[in-house]
Amino acid sequence: MFVSLFTLSLATSLYAQSGAALDIDVKDQDSIKSVAKTLAGSIVDLYKGDLKEDLIPGLFSSPYYWWEAGAVFGSLVDYSYLTGDSQYDDLLGEGFEHQIGEFDAFMPTNQTKSLGNDDQSTWGLAAMSAAETGFTTKKIGNLSWDVLANNVFESQVARWNEETCDGGLNWQIYQFNNGYTYRNAISTGNFFLLAARLAKFTGNTTYAEWAEKAFDWTEKIGLVSEGYIYDGTDETQNCSEINRIQWSSNNGIYTEAAAHMWNVTTDNKWKNALSGFANSTFRSFVQENILREVACELNGKCNVDQRAYKGIASRSFARAIASAPFLSDLLTPLLEASAKAAAEGCSTKDGTVKCPLKWTTKDDGEYGLGQSFSALAVVQALLVPNAKPLATKSSSNGTSNGSPAADTPAASGSGKPAENEGAADTLVVSRSLVVVIAVLAAALL
Ligand SMILES: *[C@@H]1O[C@H](CO)[C@@H](O)[C@H](O)[C@H]1NC(C)=O
Ligand SMILES: *[C@@H]1O[C@H](CO)[C@@H](O)[C@H](O)[C@H]1NC(C)=O
Ligand SMILES: *[C@@H]1O[C@H](CO)[C@@H](O)[C@H](O)[C@H]1NC(C)=O
Ligand SMILES: *[C@@H]1O[C@H](CO)[C@@H](O)[C@H](O)[C@H]1NC(C)=O
Ligand SMILES: *[C@@H]1O[C@H](CO)[C@@H](O)[C@H](O)[C@H]1NC(C)=O
Ligand SMILES: *[C@@H]1O[C@H](CO)[C@@H](O)[C@H](O)[C@H]1NC(C)=O
Ligand SMILES: *[C@@H]1O[C@H](CO)[C@@H](O)[C@H](O)[C@H]1NC(C)=O
């Protein structure tokens, strides 16, 4: 585990609200870009600080897990595309280069200890963003982004687990990791989204079939019910008990995936699913159009991972609107109000930008990567409607070239234990706090 004092001090210090807020006019693309530039710059500064501490490219230091770097890199790729500011492209390419791993599928063996299916797919989705936005770098040699994303997809198809629960993905890839038996909504949800994006990008129906199969399973087992998306279930009970905590990131991921499926199929099934997700999003997470992570913000117990969830949700909502434009009437006001609240909660002091966890009240003094990432994601989400069209495989010159998957280890438990070289220790996201918070969340919903 790497511990950088530099990052820790930024992440855990309590700062009084002071300095200039980031003023934003959510109807003005230049204003939005300018705020996005400030936020991206502050995240890259944090990253460069970690690199100076001899961290391997593509990681942030503890307490940030490997997955979160993937989420941040994905949004910095988006940033380059949405703003035209390509100054970080080489830096990003270098980070990807180091995290692609030995199997060309975002499974570096030195990350084994914190390698869940959801973590791997978070990086796979970042590669998907790179494919869709035409991101180029010499750093990944003759590999192509869609091939990398496909490698992640293929490795997870091979892990689809029908031994119990009639399907779904286990949270963890390796049986020796804590939480292996848990089937969480995000692992299958990220897979659903990756498959849906590959379907749209390539036009290959195999991906769409898997996306639908993944979604159908979540409904069958009750992880998705009447539009609500619940945290997970456990195979030791054949997935008969549902852990009903809700996260905004799940709503974003499932909404985006269903929107792409609507786009690809124009089947009303997806329109109905979207209507249910929109319902649950507004009922569970929104106050006066501003997102809040209700399960942990209200009691002050959001862990490091959970502080990034509203960013994951926001960027997915923006992509969902692009693929299913009828969502705009509902979700654009949500993104605008959330972006305004998030940006105005951020402050610059001595050249450093700090953003609050709570967008509704802006009054907490806890700052870190997840908060800055979420602010960037929601602010630049407002640039999506005016962005140039995304690439597809046929429109993107050359991205169909790339080396095929190198004998990806698919079977759970087949990997060898490796030393933990991750940026933070084993994930306990999904299940930590669950019991305590489930009670609170149930009371609220
Ligand atoms: C982990 O493995 C990756 C991919 O093989 C490599 O690029 C990276 O430098 C390694 N990280 C550490 C901390 O050794
Ligand atoms: C396990 O759960 C699946 C999905 O709900 C169900 O189809 C199957 O019958 C269950 N198996 C047992 C042994 O209860
Ligand atoms: C579609 O994608 C699947 C999964 O990667 C692949 O096996 C299949 O060959 C592809 N089909 C076509 C027609 O490209
Ligand atoms: C969404 O909520 C409205 C009431 O607010 C209800 O009429 C509608 O049936 C719900 N849609 C779905 C798909 O749950
Ligand atoms: C599908 O997505 C594209 C943008 O990628 C959009 O222009 C088009 O209107 C969408 N199609 C449908 C049926 O919503
Ligand atoms: C497409 O790729 C070829 C070969 O890599 C290159 O020569 C050509 O300039 C590219 N065309 C465009 C429009 O990028
Ligand atoms: C990609 O590059 C590697 C190493 O440089 C090489 O072994 C491989 O054959 C190349 N693959 C393709 C498809 O060009």
Side-chain angles (χ1 to χ4, degrees), residues 284-322:
S284 299
F285 299 106
V286 175
Q287 187 181 49
E288 290 171 8
N289 268 328
I290 301 174
L291 276 175
R292 45 179 199 168
E293 199 60 59
V294 74
C296 64
E297 267 186 35
L298 306 183
N299 61 9
K301 293 201 166 165
C302 292
N303 70 21
V304 169
D305 286 334
Q306 291 154 1
R307 293 168 200 166
Y309 286 0
K310 295 201 300 282
I312 307 268
S314 303
R315 71 183 183 188
S316 275
F317 287 145
R319 292 191 193 118
I321 295 168

Side-chain angles (χ1 to χ4, degrees), residues 22 35 39 311 339 342-343 346 355-356 359 369-381:
L22 298 183
V35 172
L39 291 168
C346 301
C355 297
W359 296 347
L369 177 62
Q371 291 91 318
S372 295
F373 157 77
S374 288
L376 172 65
V378 71
V379 164
Q380 70 184 14

